[in-house]
Amino acid sequence: MRLTVERGFDQVTVEAIAEAANISRRTFSNYFACKEEALLHGERLYIDAFVRHLRERPQQEAAWSSLRAAVRVLYSSWGRPMDREWSARARLARDHPSLLARQLANQARLAQDLEAALDGRAGPPGVRHGVLVAVFLAGLRTAVTTWSEEGERTLLTVVDEVLDEVEAPFGG
């Protein structure tokens, strides 16, 4: 991420990333298929942690409340350095189609994993978990975009504000 911010996405090569990480090109390829995957590695860690936090919530907790609690635990544990990295990643993805495509694939995976983690939980009457997850993730995307553009408040503050707006019709 540092190299990409310094040099620009198009000027960063896999070789440069490997060199900066003090690893061989071959070692890089053992972990990542391309530079986009490496740049979004933090996002994959986020997905795994978010789903793990959701699964750790009490089973009797309402679906929406569980989603909010899990994302709160996740975002509150990051702090300022991760905030800057997320902001840089969000701006990069908006400007580079190959990163955006990978990010959208990650979002689809996240939606599927969240739906599976919500199995057995009560949701709002008449609202499928798939709809609930889609609305929740739309709120998160709106919050991340707002936060990355304004850059003044913490990500968690903006997420809470946006999800409060969404929660009225979908809240648990």
Side-chain angles (χ1 to χ4, degrees):
M1 184 60 67
R2 179 185 53 79
L3 287 176
T4 305
V5 170
E6 287 173 5
R7 300 179 189 176
F9 177 79
D10 294 326
Q11 283 66 46
V12 173
T13 63
V14 168
E15 289 76 15
I17 295 169
E19 183 179 319
N22 201 26
I23 60 172
S24 70
R25 170 67 161 92
R26 184 174 181 183
T27 300
F28 177 94
S29 296
N30 288 338
Y31 290 95
F32 305 109
C34 58
K35 70 180 179 180
E36 290 85 354
E37 195 173 296
L39 284 169
L40 295 177
H41 179 67
E43 189 168 277
R44 286 192 51 98
L45 296 176
Y46 149 79
I47 288 168
D48 294 342
F50 185 14
V51 173
R52 186 179 66 253
H53 290 310
L54 181 59
R55 288 195 169 120
E56 291 170 354
R57 300 299 307 163
Q59 189 63 28
Q60 69 277 9
E61 187 174 53
W64 184 265
S65 298
S66 292
L67 286 165
R68 288 217 50 181
V71 83
R72 181 167 260 294
V73 168
L74 182 67
Y75 287 166
S76 65
S77 69
W78 281 357
R80 281 298 185 180
M82 189 58 143
D83 281 358
R84 285 190 296 277
E85 184 178 323
W86 258 93
S87 181
R89 189 179 299 119
R91 284 191 304 275
L92 279 172
R94 281 196 311 268
D95 296 337
H96 298 281
S98 62
L99 268 179
L100 185 57
R102 287 246 180 222
Q103 197 170 49
L104 290 173
N106 284 346
Q107 289 290 318
R109 176 182 166 220
L110 175 59
Q112 291 172 341
D113 291 350
L114 292 175
E115 273 188 69
L118 289 175
D119 278 349
R121 293 180 190 269
V127 178
R128 295 183 185 122
H129 283 152
V131 172
L132 190 71
V133 166
V135 169
F136 188 84
L137 291 178
L140 287 184
R141 281 190 298 276
T142 300
V144 169
T145 300
T146 300
W147 166 78
S148 68
E149 289 172 356
E150 80 176 26
E152 295 170 13
R153 299 177 291 161
T154 67
L155 176 57
L156 185 56
T157 299
V158 178
V159 165
D160 279 341
E161 178 183 287
V162 171
L163 293 179
D164 284 346
E165 289 180 38
V166 174
E167 191 168 331
F170 291 100

